[in-house]
Amino acid sequence: MSVVFAVAETVNLRGDGGRVPLEDVLIFANPIAGRGRGEALARNLEARFKGDGLGARVLMDRPGRLLAGDVAGPVRAAVVIGGDGTLRAVADQLLKLRPDDYPPLLPVPLGTANLMVRHLGFRWSTPQLVEGISNAVLARRVRMLDAGRANGRLFLVMVGVGIDAHIVHELDRLRQGPITFFSYLAPAVMTFRDFDFAPLQVTVDGREVLSREPGVAFVGNVKEYGAGFPVLPFARPDDGLLDVCLLPCRTRTDLIRLFLHAAAGEHFLSEGAVYLRGREVTIASDREAPVQMDGDPVGHTPVEIGLLPVQLPFIVP
Ligand SMILES: [Mg+2]
């Protein structure tokens, strides 16, 4: 069952007992998002929210250090301008609050890939961006979603070990300036040329489900993925479980076959593929294999993955 629900007009009780709308909107912006357009958008939003009769505070460059005073009063929403990394940093800060106090998150990408925005179903277009965000905050439809931790770090979408992780590690090593679709081209070609799949050992809830088999492993919470096809097609973001997809792959020929299957959305049917759900997943390998979380390079195996005991609120269209 879906848990989308609308908070039609959330109210709080002030000292005088009067009912007033939740009113503050926090605006987090990565100052370098969209080549500096992040700050301009944050200021435009601040003015718009004030025009809407809400309070607004812009917290530039602060996702990594939310202060207790920032959420001392009622907060209607936390707008996060930037990529998945900025969103994760803000979410990580919210987790320091009491769960009842988590403001719902509204991620807004700006020239950066944002897998979570895609998942939530927002299709922001530049001309109506400010108006669309304002409408979403006023409507405040909230959906509670699971969030994961891998090696102590928060992730919202997916953890990958294998070729995708190689590509994002390689991209990180080569990159200069903002990432575009074409930035992935050279790392992808190099990864395909050089990649030697590490044998992976995968355990789900204490049971070994892959035993020293070379391949690719995806563990996550939502379907969508940057590659444009759902890597975890059966994932539900609110079921308290992680979806796990393991794709054995020994050779480049296997990899091509896997890629073709994936393009058809049938990778989980390929030979030897394992698809299951669980709460605790560990991925180890004899030699270090790169790990990506939500599309960012984050270290190497071994990696321990689980869900947080709390869910995070997100504003949905
Ligand atoms: Mg799930």
Side-chain angles (χ1 to χ4, degrees), residues 78 80 82-91 104-110 112-124 142-148 154-159 220-227 235-238 292-296 307 311-317:
V80 184
D84 290 293
T86 307
L87 178 61
R88 262 198 321 276
V90 172
L105 294 159
L106 179 61
V108 179
L110 206 60
T112 44
N114 193 313
L115 303 176
M116 204 59 199
V117 167
R118 202 182 306 200
H119 171 69
L120 293 171
F122 283 109
R123 299 286 181 272
W124 300 119
V142 177
R143 186 171 182 195
M144 301 300 294
L145 300 182
D146 296 327
L154 179 74
F155 71 92
L156 300 170
V157 178
M158 191 184 298
V159 175
N221 201 37
V222 302
K223 282 180 199 174
E224 280 80 352
Y225 191 49
R236 286 183 37 185
D238 55 10
Q292 62 91 1
M293 290 183 203
D294 294 357
D296 290 327
L307 286 174
Q311 292 184 312
L312 290 173
F314 282 87
I315 291 183
V316 294

Side-chain angles (χ1 to χ4, degrees), residues 25-230:
V25 181
L26 301 181
I27 306 164
F28 294 90
N30 178 347
I32 60 164
R35 295 190 176 91
R37 284 183 296 133
E39 175 155 21
L41 177 60
R43 297 297 167 198
N44 285 342
L45 283 172
E46 183 183 26
R48 173 72 186 223
F49 289 136
K50 286 180 175 165
D52 289 338
L54 301 165
R57 274 174 291 159
V58 175
L59 305 169
M60 290 299 297
D61 203 15
R62 288 257 307 271
R65 50 191 183 100
L66 184 71
L67 304 179
D70 293 334
V71 283
V75 176
R76 188 171 184 90
V79 177
V80 184
I81 302 167
D84 290 293
T86 307
L87 178 61
R88 262 198 321 276
V90 172
D92 220 9
Q93 293 297 308
L94 297 190
L95 290 171
K96 295 177 181 169
L97 309 172
R98 292 186 317 146
D100 288 349
D101 293 337
Y102 295 169
L105 294 159
L106 179 61
V108 179
L110 206 60
T112 44
N114 193 313
L115 303 176
M116 204 59 199
V117 167
R118 202 182 306 200
H119 171 69
L120 293 171
F122 283 109
R123 299 286 181 272
W124 300 119
S125 69
T126 310
Q128 290 94 31
L129 190 55
V130 169
E131 188 185 352
I133 294 167
S134 157
N135 290 342
V137 166
L138 290 174
R140 203 182 193 253
R141 285 171 56 83
V142 177
R143 186 171 182 195
M144 301 300 294
L145 300 182
D146 296 327
R149 263 214 200 281
N151 285 355
R153 295 176 62 138
L154 179 74
F155 71 92
L156 300 170
V157 178
M158 191 184 298
V159 175
V161 178
I163 189 154
D164 57 321
H166 265 274
I167 292 171
V168 297
H169 276 248
E170 199 60 24
L171 173 64
D172 192 57
R173 196 173 64 79
L174 296 176
R175 73 178 283 194
Q176 295 167 324
I179 296 174
T180 67
F181 174 78
F182 294 102
S183 313
Y184 287 93
L185 219 52
V189 169
M190 287 167 69
T191 299
F192 182 76
R193 189 192 63 197
D194 303 336
F195 190 37
D196 174 22
F197 288 92
L200 303 177
Q201 184 180 18
V202 181
T203 308
V204 177
D205 295 338
R207 193 165 61 93
E208 189 178 88
V209 293
L210 195 73
S211 177
R212 295 181 182 212
E213 181 91 28
V216 190
F218 298 106
V219 180
N221 201 37
V222 302
K223 282 180 199 174
E224 280 80 352
Y225 191 49
F229 62 91

Side-chain angles (χ1 to χ4, degrees), residues 222-246:
V222 302
K223 282 180 199 174
E224 280 80 352
Y225 191 49
F229 62 91
V231 173
L232 300 170
F234 309 111
R236 286 183 37 185
D238 55 10
D239 63 356
L241 295 169
L242 289 163
D243 278 40
V244 181
C245 183
L246 309 172

